[in-house]
Amino acid sequence: MKINTKQTRIHKHKRVRKKVQGTSTKPRLCVFRSNKHIYAQIIDDMQGTTLVATSSLNLNNQEFDKIGPNCDTSRIVGKQLAEKSINEGIINVVFDRGGKLYHGRVKALAEAAKAAGMGF
């Protein structure tokens, strides 16, 4: 039987989402990692709105070309997200890893957000 990695990730994400729910007092920090970029957004699931969002696409092209899609980029995105969310008054969030392992770029983003003042 052939294993489809995309379907496996979607299945894992659905399993995580059964337990992880964002509220207005503690919204959900959702991370999506592609091969080239990383995206993060803070979502209020009760109202269905995105409160804060950022990604590696927001970096200027020279900076991204120099660094590339690695943990350093994820740390920059995590720090940007934490700064934006603290300006909006969002400090505590629930972390949603999006079906990916808490390792590498996902972990780097999460730890940079924690270091910048967000609480999980």
Side-chain angles (χ1 to χ4, degrees):
M1 188 166 126
K2 188 174 181 180
I3 298 172
N4 188 343
T5 56
K6 184 176 180 181
Q7 290 297 330
T8 304
R9 186 193 67 80
I10 291 170
H11 179 71
K12 287 178 186 177
H13 192 194
K14 286 181 182 179
R15 189 171 60 220
V16 169
R17 288 279 293 139
K18 287 179 187 177
K19 297 179 183 179
V20 176
Q21 189 81 34
T23 63
S24 58
T25 58
K26 198 167 184 179
R28 176 171 57 102
L29 168 57
C30 181
V31 176
F32 175 74
R33 177 184 63 85
S34 69
N35 287 337
K36 190 170 182 180
H37 294 285
I38 190 157
Y39 309 84
Q41 56 185 347
I42 297 178
I43 303 168
D44 180 3
D45 288 322
M46 296 298 163
Q47 295 181 358
T49 58
T50 299
L51 305 173
V52 178
T54 189
S55 70
S56 59
L57 294 172
N58 294 347
L59 302 175
N60 61 22
N61 290 336
Q62 292 176 345
E63 186 177 344
F64 183 73
D65 289 341
K66 190 185 307 179
I67 297 173
N70 57 19
C71 289
D72 295 333
T73 303
S74 298
R75 286 185 195 98
I76 293 169
V77 171
K79 185 178 177 183
Q80 284 179 352
L81 183 76
E83 291 170 356
K84 284 183 179 181
S85 67
I86 289 171
N87 288 340
E88 293 287 326
I90 303 165
I91 297 172
N92 292 324
V93 295
V94 178
F95 189 72
D96 177 11
R97 56 190 170 86
K100 301 285 187 178
L101 292 176
Y102 188 76
H103 183 300
R105 292 191 284 159
V106 175
K107 183 178 179 181
L109 186 142
E111 290 182 355
K114 280 183 190 179
M118 290 184 71
F120 295 179

